[in-house]
Amino acid sequence: MVFLSIFSRYIPASCSHWEHRSAAYSTMSSQDSSVWQQCPLVVGVETSSQSASDGETDCEVITVTIGATVPTGFENTAAEEVQEKIGADATISKDRGRIYFQITTDKLSQVHHLRSVDNLFVVVEEYDNYQFRDSKEETLEDLQKLASKLPWTNALKVWKLNTSLKKKRGPHRRPQGPKGKGRRGRDFRDRGKANNDVVETDTMETVTSEIEKLQLEPQEPTAGQGGGVGEARTPDLENSPLGEQQEVEGQEPGPKVLKFRVTCSRAGDKHSFSSNEAARDFGGAVQDFFQWKADMTKFDIEVLLNIHNVEVVIGIALTEESLHRRNITHFGPTTLRSTLCYGMLRLSKPQASDVILDPMCGTGAIPLEGAIEWQQAFYLAGDNNDMAVSRTVNNICHIQKKRLDKGSTPGLPIDTVQWDLCHLPMRTSSVDIIITDMPFGKRMGSRKKNWDLYPPCLREMARVSRPGSGKAVILTQDKKCFQKAISRMGGLWRKHHTVWVNVGGLHAGVFLLKRTAGIFGQTPEDVREPLEEQPGKEKPAEEREKEVK
Amino acid sequence: MFCILRVYAFFSSGLCGSQATEVRVSEVEFNPNFVSRMIPTLDWSALVQAADGLGLLQGLPAELVTDYEKNEDFLRKVHRVLLEVEVLEGCLQCPESGREFPISRGVPNMLLNEDEA
């Protein structure tokens, strides 16, 4: 194992656990001798009598740092969830959509139960203050050299453990839907995007083509090529990267080449290179080092190179990108990713027996996430649009069926209704929490429509909310319109807290509002003029009638 | 899916029970804490009336019992009627105006017409 030998050279103190690791490869075939020609640094490794097994039976429990990407603005919420479910303290990269925390490998499966994270990776190395050299050539050269110096071992152990855990969990079915694929592309840009920095996220195309140009001839294992390093070889030196590949691929006969890709994201205005170039050069060096094969789409390992000014983090991905939309199979044009829904729900702190309303639920993403994660509350999902209602019903059915298949009680505490959100068929003061995604006026509706929509909508929400204890968590990109509408309703709503987020490349706000103790219809500014000079659509008599009931 | 009985407790409309053409009972995890906290917020007589209309009264008392928090048997009955019974096809009727709102695939359509708004 090339990296093994390098590792032991540079970090002798932590060598001890290598004994266990090397044993796992002892049943490797002898055919990979040719690979050693590429690996000049070969150091003796102790033999162990342990037989080959797959990564998870490696009895060594190690501590590693896990990184997670979360919707920007919800880093604190995610850190809370980590504390609650894993018991670890998380470090936050504020407004960069990233948190880090440490775990021991025996708890690895728990990270996949986190509902506020989009993607997870294991940290190979992190540099707080990486010294980039002056010229592009020198910098890229440094990156290339870096590949062979990094402490890959633990991270690769975790990756392997994670892969075997994934197999146990079963294949993840990718959600289908007309707009589903489009959204994935957008969300990828959200990762780590700060407000002012320019972030380049280059992955697939460029990197792979560059790497393939650099790629050496595919390694054909032949007995004759072992000559050059013969004298340095002991039985254990036949443990090479190929050996690892064989182990990973499981029962497949013969050595199989591991496939990988490098994803680089770079932010900062003082860099002399592009993320493209970094990915290419770093990737090339990684490939040389491990003798893996570059593959853009069918990779086994995804190496992450994250550069933010002078902070450099190298990691190995533990999740695939498709996990944002875990609950939704029937997409609409503006479906929110589940991690964002979770963040909003968490902000509202649902209590047992709370009635939680989404008056413009679209495909039902928010109430559905709530019904799954906070089952002690009751959810009402409603929309005026036929298709939205239909999609919501389908999404709920789908989840219920999944639960039934897994042997859990299928029923969820959620109902769907078709209604007009300005005439909610709900009793006054009957709702504890309102959580919704209000139209942005870009993909849905228009700015002008928002001026007409927001005030009566907020009033109706105030009516059904419980005075004094009611809350609302509202996501909108039309912050100006929203803030203006709210400012005219001081008697009913008070702004408590705002989280600035990034949704599909748009800068949006999640407003947490508290319902005042004011009785609806009796507050000082109880006039119903819209923001422009137009007569209100609702008749006062109708309104009073509803309140009486 | 829509459970008319729990909705009735929140909604201002009445139930036209004879027109519930399709009803379903599905299993929802029993949470006594949730149920007992829900009860004070319900219009109890309305709930009983609706359940009766669907022929699903099953021992629910006309008046709320005292100390229901500890009464698991009672709570389970409420749980069933509140969370597990669903009207898939039927209608909701407003007791004041008589206006009927259809229920289809478990979803009541409460949209008002132009002239009603």
Side-chain angles (χ1 to χ4, degrees), chain A residues 255-464:
Chain A
K256 202 176 166 204
V257 178
L258 261 186
K259 291 184 263 177
F260 83 110
R261 80 171 186 193
V262 170
T263 303
C264 175
S265 69
R266 185 199 67 78
D269 36 5
K270 297 209 174 87
H271 298 140
S272 58
F273 58 93
S274 70
S275 61
N276 214 337
E277 292 163 333
R280 177 198 65 205
D281 286 10
F282 182 69
V286 166
Q287 176 170 35
D288 288 344
F289 188 62
F290 287 112
Q291 295 299 303
W292 292 335
K293 189 172 153 63
D295 191 321
M296 178 184 105
T297 49
K298 298 199 192 72
F299 50 90
D300 305 301
I301 298 188
E302 181 175 23
V303 175
L304 306 166
L305 175 62
N306 296 325
I307 304 172
H308 192 271
N309 292 322
V310 293
E311 192 191 288
V312 175
V313 178
I314 297 107
I316 297 179
L318 298 175
T319 52
E320 297 142 36
E321 271 213 69
S322 54
L323 300 181
H324 298 176
R325 302 245 175 308
R326 50 179 170 253
N327 304 331
I328 304 297
T329 42
H330 296 81
F331 289 89
T334 57
T335 300
L336 272 187
R337 45 186 168 150
S338 304
T339 44
L340 196 46
C341 297
Y342 179 89
M344 288 174 69
L345 280 156
R346 226 193 140 91
L347 265 186
S348 75
K349 299 200 195 335
Q351 304 298 313
S353 84
D354 271 352
V355 174
I356 302 184
L357 184 81
D358 184 349
M360 17 189 169
C361 67
T363 52
I366 300 174
L368 188 49
E369 178 72 19
I372 293 167
E373 193 63 16
W374 284 273
Q375 293 194 16
Q376 306 239 0
F378 184 76
Y379 300 83
L380 276 164
D383 205 288
N384 63 347
N385 180 282
D386 287 340
M387 279 224 290
V389 168
S390 174
R391 284 182 182 133
T392 301
V393 167
N394 289 336
N395 285 324
I396 296 173
C397 280
H398 176 83
I399 295 291
Q400 287 179 325
K401 182 163 186 311
K402 248 178 43 173
R403 289 165 64 88
L404 192 61
D405 291 343
K406 277 201 295 189
S408 330
T409 32
L412 289 171
I414 178 169
D415 268 352
T416 311
V417 184
Q418 187 164 11
W419 63 38
D420 172 359
L421 86 106
C422 292
H423 297 91
L424 290 172
M426 304 280 294
R427 284 205 306 258
T428 299
S429 314
S430 56
V431 174
D432 296 291
I433 298 175
I434 296 176
I435 310 190
T436 195
D437 170 9
M438 288 183 77
F440 285 6
K442 281 198 182 294
R443 238 171 279 126
M444 205 58 152
S446 68
R447 286 299 168 97
K448 171 154 192 322
K449 277 198 191 152
N450 288 351
W451 289 107
D452 292 337
L453 175 74
Y454 283 22
C457 170
L458 285 163
R459 276 189 64 82
E460 186 68 350
M461 298 200 297
R463 179 184 73 77
V464 302

Side-chain angles (χ1 to χ4, degrees), chain A residues 352-353 355 376-378 384 389-390 393-394 396-397 409-411 413-420 423 425-427 466 539 542 545 549, chain B residues 1-3 6-7 9-12 27-29 31 33-34 37-38 41 43 83 94 96 105-112 115-117:
Chain A
S353 84
V355 174
Q376 306 239 0
F378 184 76
N384 63 347
V389 168
S390 174
V393 167
N394 289 336
I396 296 173
C397 280
T409 32
I414 178 169
D415 268 352
T416 311
V417 184
Q418 187 164 11
W419 63 38
D420 172 359
H423 297 91
M426 304 280 294
R427 284 205 306 258
R466 286 199 215 281
K539 291 181 189 142
E542 179 78 30
E545 203 173 31
K549 287 175 191 160
Chain B
M1 284 308 191
F2 176 68
C3 171
R6 57 191 142 154
V7 168
F10 302 121
F11 283 48
S12 44
E27 203 188 340
V28 178
E29 204 162 309
N31 188 331
N33 190 31
F34 175 77
R37 286 169 74 140
M38 270 327 240
T41 68
D43 179 346
L83 292 173
C94 174
E96 311 255 329
R105 259 192 99 198
V107 178
N109 186 337
M110 318 280 307
L111 290 174
L112 301 173
D115 49 335
E116 289 170 313

